Amino acid sequence: MTPLDTQLLLTALVSVLLLVALIVSRIKMHPLLALLVVSIGVGFATGMAPGQIVKELGNGAGKTLGSVGVVIALGAMLGKILADAGITEQIAAAILKHASTRMVPWAMTLVAFIVGIPMFFEVGLVVMLPLIFSVAQKLESQARFKGSAYVYVGVPVISALAAMHGMVPPHPGPLTAIATLKTTVGPTMLYGFLAAIPAMVLGGPLYGAFIAPRMSTKPDQGLLDQFTIAAPATGHSRPSVALGVLAALLPAILMLVHAVAEMLLPKDSAALHAASFLGNPLIAMLLGVLFAIVALVLVRGGDMEKLRDALGASLKPIASIIMIIAGGGAFQQMLTSAKVGDAIVHLTQQFALPPLILGWLIAMLLSVSTGSATVGIVGAAGLLAPLAGADPSLNLPLLALSIGCGSLFFNYANHAGFWMVKESFGMTMGEATKTISVVQSIVAVVGLVMVLVFNALAPLA
């Protein structure tokens, strides 16, 4: 550790505290403005030139908008089509018909588990939001329900999506750790599935049942109207639920095909290139929207002009969410470019811990400090790769899983996912901390416990 490392770590800590203060104090600064102001402050505090600060702000915001913003916009359009066709209302009614109030979170966990196998966290959440809001709104109408129905239904979804995102290939984090440590996909995937089950149960239905009665969270009415109010009947019969489910899950199916192709086909295969294109989140979501337009609107004689107006209106409630997420990307980029991650690496080199725990700890510290789970995984895997090659007794699939679990811990204000959950559900900073931050911390810790349990057993072949 050098004085510069200490300065960088203190800068990262102070920047997060200042960000929270700007948003929750009497100043009540808009999150986008607060994120940009604090990001600029980090740049100057770490000695960046003004020109570099501007460049990093643009790079961080632009990269986030490119990878997440357009996908969220397409997801909002898909959700609007499904809502206007009555699909989400029918699915929500079916879930509530076949599951008691106590079993609803378990049903939502199962749905999110399936959706989360191929989908990134943010993509999976935007696909699930219409169903979350529809189910929660129906629960809320029951006079006997106490607390926030949206937290009760949403927390299990957040937990399942987070567990799958950090623990199970073909998500990019686990795949990166696998490639860096030179281990294999099969055992890592099996370990990941086994560890994800208790993690998402404890962080989802069980924690959700505990925290929901203590919260009163409710999303913005405009967003609720967009995802839950079906258009008035126009004389045309409603599309079947099966067709609607296919439209909703088509992006996930395309991404899953891509994931399977990556594991089974040679890298120079034409089929793999085609699957890679179709399974890209942006292309998959676009195809999902186009399929929904054709299957749920056009073939049923829908009014295309009304559809165009509805799709345009669907973007208005999410515009603020997208821009705040872009601000979170700028903040994350500034911390990363300031080399806060290097300071974390220097700090962890002083620890004498078992590799499985050390991998989790390094990934956790890097992710929390830089706001990037990817940085956490890349840094931890790169640092431990020499040890992985030198110690034949080390269970490498478990090390990859441990690193992925650590990257999930305490998703907070410098993570884009934090802002997506906060703004989508209309939460305060404190409410968002009690949900996504605590949920992902539970998932990360339970994941580590499962890694240690698996390590005490015979390794998988």
Side-chain angles (χ1 to χ4, degrees), residues 361-421:
L361 182 64
I362 295 172
M364 180 272 287
L365 291 173
L366 285 171
S367 177
V368 170
S369 61
T370 65
S372 172
T374 301
V375 171
I377 290 172
V378 171
L383 192 64
L384 294 179
L387 177 62
D391 185 357
S393 66
L394 184 58
N395 190 320
L396 297 186
L398 284 182
L399 180 59
L401 176 59
S402 175
I403 289 170
C405 292
S407 72
L408 295 173
F409 189 85
F410 204 71
N411 186 304
Y412 197 53
N414 51 354
H415 287 74
F418 175 89
W419 294 103
M420 184 172 178
V421 171

Side-chain angles (χ1 to χ4, degrees), residues 4 26 40 43 124 132 146 186 199 233 243 317 330 385 392 400 409 415 429:
L4 177 60
R26 292 184 179 181
I40 293 171
I132 294 172
K146 305 287 186 183
L243 184 61
F409 189 85
H415 287 74
M429 292 292 289

